Amino acid sequence: MAPHSETSSQDIRTFSRPSSPNFPTKSPQSLQFKSQVVASNSAPSHNLSNTMHLTTANHTNGISRDSEKPRLIPGVYVPTTAFFVRGTEDLDLSTIASHALRLARSGVTGITTQGSNGEAVHLTQSERSLVTSTTRHALDKAGLAHIPLIVGCGAQSTRESIELCRDAADAGGSHVLVLPPSYYKASYGKRELLNYFRDIASASPLPVLIYNYPGAVAGVDLSSDDIVSLAKHSNIVGCKLTCGNTGKLCRIAAVTTDATFEKQHGRKAPFLTFGGSADFLLQTLIAGGHGTITGLGNIVPKTIVKLYNLYNGGQVAEAQELQKVVAAADWAVIEGGVVGTKAALEACFGYGGVARKPLPRIDDEEIAQWGSRLRECADLEKKL
């Protein structure tokens, strides 16, 4: 079930893969659907009747000239989960939309689609675009057009990644997040890996964030020198470090936030360095990083936002205590992956559903076990 029960007879709740290979078209205006958009019981109400126009990128040689895209700023970002209908594994658009609103109204800075939690590798290209456009539509309709929407666009070839970046722009994304390729790892040298990111950034209509996650790409691990070198490209605007190396994070942030670096390389926007897990959010901020892009935020977004705000408000001792609770909860999510995250959502908040096969199905007892591991943090979340 979705986070809230308010419904409309006109809601379209699922997406079955269409018979026509040409559906959906790239422009979000052509995706005629109405997702469930409901207010959070614990958040200020918004006028949901004001549907905002979805603009697509105006491409000139592949680069967007749309100046109205949300800006990337420091804060807490959540790589949202994709939701499926039990039994059919069709996309559950209603829950995708309402979950995005729950996150946005919890105070997170931005949302990511097509990340590891979003099961991008389990989606067709048309489904990827539909998840992103559904999320953007829900945010805009709720008056939340200022929320950045980062879209995962990594692929094994430079060409496909660029195509995904263009699809992301057409679906309403504001930025893209790109993993390094890994299938032909033995044949890549440093030059090929760095040129992969530079070529994508030069062609992408949206600004690019580097995604350093060795566990997902056969151990490919970009060094701080690699990322600093890539940060000289004007369309590469940040990085997500799921490697957990806070020393690397500190070195990158120290160099790229220096005014001399920005001036020397003609950067029009600062390069932002994010940690990839909430279990080292406090360490990230102390080291000079700009926030986190964390899967735990799907379950306890308000708690992570509170941790971020405590540190930035100078309440370091309180932040340390909360970091202990967050780190314990995040370890459960890290161990459980997508399945554990959905199980914890189901146990603690009544929705989550299944992951696509071949990821395992878990029974009610296992769902309860995952819920118990998140209980302390989830109970705190409900009080905020």
Side-chain angles (χ1 to χ4, degrees), residues 84 118-124 127-128 338 355-359:
F84 306 105
E119 295 184 62
V121 295
H122 289 166
L123 303 180
T124 65
E127 287 177 320
R128 291 173 70 134
V338 174
R356 273 188 173 170
K357 294 179 179 179
L359 286 175

Side-chain angles (χ1 to χ4, degrees), residues 17-37:
R17 186 175 180 180
S19 58
S20 169
N22 297 321
F23 180 87
T25 59
K26 290 184 177 180
S27 172
Q29 287 93 327
S30 66
L31 297 173
Q32 300 299 321
F33 63 91
K34 293 184 178 180
S35 298
Q36 180 184 17
V37 184

